[in-house]
Amino acid sequence: MSKSSLYTRVFEELTEGVAIVDPETERFEDVNRAYADVIGYEPAELEGASFVEVISDGGPSDGNTLSMTLETPRTDESHQFEYVLETAEGTERRVELTLTLLDVDDGSRWLSTIRERGSEETRSRSLDTTVQRLNIALAGTNTGVWEWDMETDEVTWTESMERLFGLEPGSFEGTFEAFAKRVHPDDRPAVKSAIETAIEQDDVFQHEYRILRDDGEQRWGYARAETYGFEESNGRMVGIVTDITKRKEQERRLHRQDLQYRQLVNRLPEAYYTFDRDWTLTYCNEVLADRLETTVDELIGTSVWEVIPGARGSILEETFQEAKERQEVTSCEFYVEDYEYWIEAQAYPYEDGVAVISADITDQKEKFGMVLDSMPLIFYRIDSEGVFQESRGKGLTMLGLEPGAVVDESVFDVYADNPEILEAVERTLEGEEVSLTFEVENHYFQSQFRPIAEDGDVIELIGISMDITELERQREQMEFFNSILRHDVLNGMTIIKTRGELLADQLEGEHGRYARTIVDWCDATTAVTKRVQRVIEALTTPDEESRVVPIDAAAILRRKLDELQNAHPKVTFVSDFDSSVSVRADELLSDVLANLLSNSIEHNDTDGLRVEVTVETDDADGVTIRIADNGVGIADERKEGVFRRGATSHVKETGSGFGLFFVDVMVEKYGGEVWVTDSDSGGACFVLELPKANEGAKT
C-alpha cells in the first residue's frame, strides 16, 4: 500500500473530525466522515463549501466575526475555539474546534479538527473503535499501532508493530520498559523526554529514533501519538510508528553528497556562492569571504546586493536576472570598485535560485593591459550610444592622449572632424564589421571595428587601430617607384624597342641579329617590369580596397594548358577537374596559375616530362589546386625558400625567381596559401589553396 493510500484510509477511518481548508478561499477542500457527522452534513456536501458560513451558521458568532478570528492561524501555529454549534438538523452541540496552519508543497492549508465535548467514557469508547479501525487499515504496511495505559503500564502493540520491531506476533512483553530497551541507547533519553513533555503539556508526541530489532537489524522509526483520559486519571497514549529507514538512508546519502559537494566547492580557487529567489545568500565558500574581508557566517543570510557593492543596476545584476528568468547559464565581467578587482562571473540557475562561480581576473586584465599599452595600437570599446567605455594602447600617446582619456565622451564629438571614422562607427553599430585606414594628426591607422550583439541587438563595438604610419610611408615610396616604372622605364623600353625594330628591318647579318636581340630584351624587360608593377600594386592596395571577386579557375587552367600544349608538344599534360570551379581572386589569377605551370616546364627537361593538374573542392570553403610533375624535384632544404625574392625552385638554376615570389604575394592577397611538396613520381608538386566563391556568384 502506498503512503498516499495509507494516509487516505487513516483520514477516512479516524473517529475524530478532521478537515482541510484553503486559507485563500476559506473553503473546505477535504472532510472526513467524523467531521461531517458532528455538524450534521455529508462529506460531499461540505467539500467546496464556505468554511465560515458552515461553522458560524447558528453559532454564537456571525460570519464576519469568525472570518476575522480565523486570520490568526495565518501567522500563529495553532488556535482552539469552543462554542455551541447548531447542526444542519437544528440540534445544538457543544464542540471544540481547533485550527492549525500547515506548510505544504503548494503553499499552506488550515487543518481543522472538531469534536463534540462529552464524557471521557464516550471518548474512550470512540478511541477503542479508532484503534480497531486503524489495525485493519494498517495491516500489511510498514506502520504499527500502539497504546500505552500509563496507570497500569500496559503497552499494547498491533501485529504490524511487532513485525516492525522484529518480533513474532503476540511475543511483545507488553511494558514500557520492553519498548524502551528496543530503542537505541543513544536515542533513549530523547524519546523519554519527548514523551514526558507531551504528557505534561497535553500535546502531541512525535519523534524519530533508531529501533534495535530482536533479529539484530537496526531501523529508523517515526513515532506520533496523542494522550487521552487525564481528566479522569486514566491516562492513555495512542499512536503509530512508521518505518522511515529508507528515507533516513536517502538523507544520509544526500548528506554525504552535500559534504562532498561542499568540500569540492571549498577547494575551488574561485569564489562560489548561491542565492535564493529573494536574492538572499544561502551558501558561499571561504574564497568569497576572504575576497570581501569577512567570514562565511557573516555573509550567509545577507542580500547579494549588500555582499557585492555596486552590483545593483550593473551588468552583473542583468546577468543574474537573465539566468533566473531564462533558466540559462549566463556570464559577464564586472569591476568591483570598492575592492578594486575584476571578476568573471558565471551564473548557473537551479530550482531554488542561482549558483555563481566568480573568478578573480584582475591579473589577467592587468597583463592584457600591459600588452595593449606596450603595442603601437589603440584598443577601445564604444557602447550602443557611441560613448567610449574603454580606451588604451601605446598608439594613444602618438595622438597626445593618455589611456582612458576619452572614456565617457561621445565618439561623435571626439571625431566630429573625421566623417570617415564616424561612418565606420555607425555601420558597426548597425551590425556590420568594418575595416578602414584613416589618418589622424599625421598618423595612419589600420582599423577593425567589430559589433558585439545580444539577442540580435548591438550592445557595443570593439575597435582595434594599428599604427601603420611607417608602412604607409613605404607604400607611398613604392607607388612612387611604380610611377617611375610606368612612365620612365616602360616608355623608354617602348622607344628602344621601336628603334630596334627599325634597325632589325634595315640591317643584315651580325648587326641584324644584334638589333633583334635588343627587341627581344625589350620585350622581356617590359614583361618583368609589368610583373613588378602588379606586385607593387598588390602590396600597396589596402585590404578594404582589394577587388577580390569570383573567378572561374577551371576556365583559366584549361586555357593555359592548351597554350602550353601547343608551345611544348613533347610534354604530356593531364588534367582532372570540374568544368567550372569558382574561387575568390582577381584578374591576376591567370598570371599566378601561368607562373606555376610554366615553372614545371622551364626548370625541367621536356623529354618525357609529364605535368598533372587536379582540382578538389571540399565541403567547407576551400579549393585545392595541385600542379605536379615528374621532373628532378626540389630538395627539402630549399622547399621553404622557393617563394622568396631571388630564390629559384628547381636544381636547374635559371631566372630570377621573381615568378614564384609574385605567386606568393598574390595568393596571400587572396587569403589563400601556396607551398611545394614532392609529387608521387618524385618530382615537384605545387599546392595552391584558395577560398571558394559563394554559390551562384557571377564570374
Side-chain angles (χ1 to χ4, degrees):
M1 180 182 293
S2 66
K3 278 191 175 181
S4 60
S5 300
L6 167 65
Y7 294 151
T8 298
R9 290 184 63 179
V10 170
F11 179 80
E12 293 172 349
E13 295 292 334
L14 281 172
T15 55
E16 184 172 9
V18 179
I20 305 298
V21 181
D22 186 332
E24 296 294 329
T25 63
E26 295 187 352
R27 293 183 179 276
F28 287 104
E29 283 192 350
D30 206 356
V31 181
N32 73 353
R33 165 61 65 181
Y35 197 101
D37 288 346
V38 171
I39 56 180
Y41 286 87
E42 288 294 323
E45 293 180 290
L46 291 175
E47 291 177 7
S50 169
F51 174 77
V52 174
E53 292 178 3
V54 171
I55 297 301
S56 63
D57 188 21
S61 303
D62 61 20
N64 292 333
T65 303
L66 182 58
S67 183
M68 292 175 59
T69 304
L70 296 178
E71 291 292 330
T72 46
R74 299 187 182 207
T75 53
D76 298 335
E77 183 179 356
S78 182
H79 297 268
Q80 187 172 322
F81 310 91
E82 187 174 321
Y83 59 92
V84 176
L85 175 73
E86 185 176 334
T87 68
E89 294 87 358
T91 60
E92 291 186 351
R93 292 180 181 176
R94 187 170 186 80
V95 297
E96 181 183 284
L97 178 71
T98 301
L99 288 171
T100 303
L101 184 64
L102 302 177
D103 286 329
V104 293
D105 292 339
D106 58 345
S108 58
R109 295 291 185 274
W110 286 335
L111 173 65
S112 173
T113 61
I114 193 169
R115 62 182 176 180
E116 185 176 0
R117 300 297 293 173
S119 65
E120 287 299 324
E121 181 181 356
T122 302
R123 294 177 60 202
S124 178
R125 286 197 302 271
S126 298
L127 181 61
D128 291 338
T129 303
T130 298
V131 172
Q132 292 173 6
R133 290 181 176 179
L134 284 175
N135 282 336
I136 297 172
L138 298 175
T141 71
N142 61 348
T143 298
V145 180
W146 56 274
E147 178 185 355
W148 177 30
D149 186 330
M150 284 172 270
E151 184 177 1
T152 63
D153 193 34
E154 181 183 358
V155 178
T156 304
W157 282 7
T158 61
E159 291 185 2
S160 59
M161 184 76 171
E162 290 178 314
R163 284 195 300 272
L164 179 59
F165 278 72
L167 296 173
E168 292 294 326
S171 62
F172 176 60
E173 294 89 335
T175 64
F176 182 84
E177 286 304 316
F179 153 73
K181 76 176 183 179
R182 291 177 170 86
V183 176
H184 194 284
D186 293 344
D187 299 338
R188 205 171 292 157
V191 171
K192 291 182 177 180
S193 176
I195 291 174
E196 291 171 359
T197 300
I199 294 171
E200 290 172 2
Q201 299 179 3
D202 193 16
D203 200 358
V204 174
F205 159 70
Q206 51 185 349
H207 200 75
E208 294 179 0
Y209 56 86
R210 285 165 288 183
I211 298 170
L212 298 178
R213 288 164 52 99
D214 282 18
D215 58 9
E217 184 181 351
Q218 179 176 295
R219 291 189 183 179
W220 275 92
Y222 165 71
R224 190 182 190 283
E226 294 186 4
T227 57
Y228 299 88
F230 284 94
E231 294 179 5
E232 302 296 331
S233 299
N234 185 23
R236 303 167 70 189
M237 183 173 282
V238 178
I240 62 172
V241 176
T242 300
D243 188 338
I244 59 169
T245 305
K246 290 184 178 180
R247 193 196 84 192
K248 281 293 186 177
E249 289 175 350
Q250 179 67 14
E251 287 177 358
R252 281 198 298 271
R253 283 195 296 270
L254 292 174
H255 181 65
R256 285 196 299 271
Q257 292 174 3
D258 184 61
L259 285 178
Q260 293 170 354
Y261 162 76
R262 291 175 183 271
Q263 289 172 357
L264 175 63
V265 165
N266 284 326
R267 291 173 184 170
L268 286 174
E270 295 88 8
Y272 176 85
Y273 54 95
T274 60
F275 53 84
D276 61 21
R277 297 174 181 175
D278 296 324
W279 306 102
T280 301
L281 212 67
T282 54
Y283 178 77
C284 73
N285 62 3
E286 294 286 350
V287 178
L288 180 67
D290 293 343
R291 188 182 290 175
L292 298 175
E293 301 173 2
T294 184
T295 64
V296 170
D297 291 339
E298 297 234 348
L299 291 175
I300 302 300
T302 60
S303 169
V304 69
W305 312 124
E306 297 176 23
V307 171
I308 308 174
R312 270 292 194 189
S314 71
I315 189 172
L316 191 65
E317 181 181 10
E318 293 177 11
T319 301
F320 291 166
Q321 286 279 16
E322 187 176 352
K324 284 178 60 178
E325 293 170 4
R326 297 188 178 183
Q327 289 296 295
E328 295 177 356
V329 178
T330 57
S331 63
C332 71
E333 293 182 359
F334 177 69
Y335 182 66
V336 186
E337 191 169 356
D338 286 16
Y339 293 91
E340 298 183 342
Y341 64 80
W342 279 91
I343 61 170
E344 180 183 38
Q346 293 180 311
Y348 299 84
Y350 64 100
E351 184 178 357
D352 298 324
V354 176
V356 180
I357 295 178
S358 171
D360 187 337
I361 59 172
T362 308
D363 288 345
Q364 298 175 29
K365 283 280 188 180
E366 290 176 352
K367 290 175 182 177
F368 178 64
M370 290 172 61
V371 172
L372 288 179
D373 294 340
S374 64
M375 296 180 68
L377 55 77
I378 302 173
F379 171 83
Y380 40 86
R381 291 189 302 111
I382 301 174
D383 68 16
S384 59
E385 301 297 324
V387 178
F388 283 99
Q389 301 298 306
E390 185 177 0
S391 67
R392 61 192 311 162
K394 192 176 180 181
L396 288 169
T397 61
M398 301 174 186
L399 303 178
L401 298 173
E402 294 295 326
V406 295
V407 171
D408 295 331
E409 293 188 37
S410 172
V411 65
F412 301 105
D413 294 334
V414 174
Y415 291 111
D417 297 331
N418 199 320
E420 191 178 18
I421 296 177
L422 299 186
E423 181 188 357
V425 170
E426 289 173 346
R427 287 167 57 192
T428 307
L429 290 177
E430 290 175 358
E432 182 181 352
E433 289 191 22
V434 180
S435 299
L436 82 157
T437 300
F438 60 86
E439 181 184 4
V440 178
E441 298 185 10
N442 297 320
H443 286 276
Y444 289 92
F445 291 91
Q446 174 67 44
S447 298
Q448 297 283 337
F449 297 88
R450 176 169 294 180
I452 305 299
E454 259 186 26
D455 300 329
D457 297 323
V458 176
I459 59 172
E460 67 177 8
L461 70 82
I462 291 176
I464 296 180
S465 297
M466 179 72 72
D467 182 12
I468 58 167
T469 304
E470 186 61 32
L471 291 175
E472 190 64 19
R473 301 285 184 263
Q474 293 176 7
R475 187 181 68 83
E476 291 174 353
Q477 292 173 359
M478 293 177 72
E479 287 181 347
F480 173 69
F481 295 147
N482 191 26
S483 67
I484 292 176
L485 291 173
R486 183 169 59 252
H487 296 293
D488 297 339
V489 177
L490 289 179
N491 288 343
M493 286 296 102
T494 300
I495 294 171
I496 294 172
K497 180 181 178 181
T498 302
R499 300 295 187 270
E501 288 174 341
L502 289 173
L503 290 172
D505 290 340
Q506 296 176 5
L507 298 175
E508 296 180 357
E510 187 174 358
H511 291 92
R513 289 195 301 273
Y514 290 160
R516 283 191 292 274
T517 300
I518 291 172
V519 173
D520 292 341
W521 272 102
C522 283
D523 288 338
T525 303
T526 299
V528 171
T529 302
K530 288 182 177 179
R531 284 186 178 180
V532 172
Q533 277 189 294
R534 289 168 181 164
V535 172
I536 290 175
E537 290 171 357
L539 292 174
T540 57
T541 302
D543 290 342
E544 64 270 16
E545 297 178 14
S546 297
R547 297 181 58 190
V548 178
V549 295
I551 299 290
D552 189 352
I556 296 174
L557 286 169
R558 279 194 300 273
R559 186 170 65 251
K560 293 300 179 183
L561 287 172
D562 288 343
E563 292 173 0
L564 289 171
Q565 184 69 77
N566 293 331
H568 304 279
K570 293 183 179 181
V571 178
T572 301
F573 292 93
V574 179
S575 61
D576 180 16
F577 47 81
D578 295 335
S579 59
S580 178
V581 179
S582 187
V583 299
R584 290 183 55 78
D586 58 20
E587 68 276 3
L588 294 180
L589 179 62
S590 177
D591 292 335
V592 169
L593 295 175
N595 271 288
L596 291 175
L597 288 167
S598 299
N599 188 79
S600 296
I601 299 171
E602 292 172 358
H603 298 284
N604 290 299
D605 293 328
T606 57
D607 289 341
L609 183 63
R610 177 186 172 92
V611 178
E612 185 174 350
V613 180
T614 60
V615 181
E616 296 177 358
T617 303
D618 61 24
D619 294 333
D621 298 323
V623 173
T624 303
I625 301 173
R626 289 182 172 84
I627 301 174
D629 62 57
N630 61 344
V632 295
I634 302 173
D636 289 341
E637 63 271 14
R638 303 178 63 186
K639 285 188 175 76
E640 291 186 7
V642 296
F643 297 101
R644 290 200 297 268
R645 175 69 178 90
T648 56
S649 56
H650 292 67
V651 174
K652 197 175 177 183
E653 294 282 355
T654 61
S656 63
F658 182 80
L660 292 181
F661 173 68
F662 170 74
V663 168
D664 189 43
V665 170
M666 295 311 301
V667 170
E668 183 178 356
K669 202 70 175 177
Y670 301 152
E673 288 186 74
V674 62
W675 67 92
V676 63
T677 184
D678 295 331
S679 68
D680 293 340
S681 57
C685 178
F686 284 88
V687 184
L688 175 62
E689 283 191 352
L690 294 172
K692 183 170 61 175
N694 294 331
E695 289 186 17
K698 295 182 179 180
T699 59

